[in-house]
Amino acid sequence: MSDELLIVRCRLGERDAFAELVRAWHGAVEGYVRRMLGKPDDDVVQEVWLAVFNGLPKLREPGRFAPWLFTIARRAVMNRLRDAYARPEPEPAVEPVGPDEIEAIADREVLADALGALPVREREVLLLFHLQDLPLDACAQICGVPVGTVKSRLTRARRLLREQLERKEYEA
């Protein structure tokens, strides 16, 4: 079922329609939040869905749901980042890992570290464009900048990511 139809059904008060909308987009929202923050954060994801629920009646163009959703997600992530800068970072807990998983985890960690080292603006457009498969105009709308700015940030993000990976001697 299309997002537009689900949104109309949500506006008519059908709870099943909202649950279906959440099921369709939850993974994308959760992935975006995890990648932007460098770790999963269920509170931020819940904030996003609460804002979506409250904002659906005000959504003027149901066909533009994805950019609207990621704009809300971006706002929630930026609020969390702002809060995180205000308090010191706790030390991460170390979990035991089996020998078969070490190489795969190392690759993911290298990539996650390289992504985390990117400036927030560049990381954001890289995640929206490549991992969420959003078009440039949707990325521009979400970030509140012109398409040309998104293109330049994307180019810079790719270059910085490549440099980070080369610095860590990562082989794709």
Side-chain angles (χ1 to χ4, degrees), residues 22-72:
V22 170
R23 266 192 303 277
W25 286 95
H26 186 74
V29 169
E30 195 172 46
Y32 173 77
V33 168
R34 181 175 23 85
R35 288 179 183 103
M36 284 300 294
L37 296 176
K39 62 181 176 154
D41 194 324
D42 292 337
D43 291 339
V44 173
V45 174
Q46 287 179 1
E47 286 175 33
V48 170
W49 287 116
L50 182 61
V52 168
F53 182 79
N54 291 330
L56 270 179
K58 300 173 206 152
L59 178 61
R60 286 186 226 132
E61 296 179 50
R64 303 278 303 157
F65 177 73
W68 180 76
L69 172 65
F70 282 103
T71 299
I72 291 171

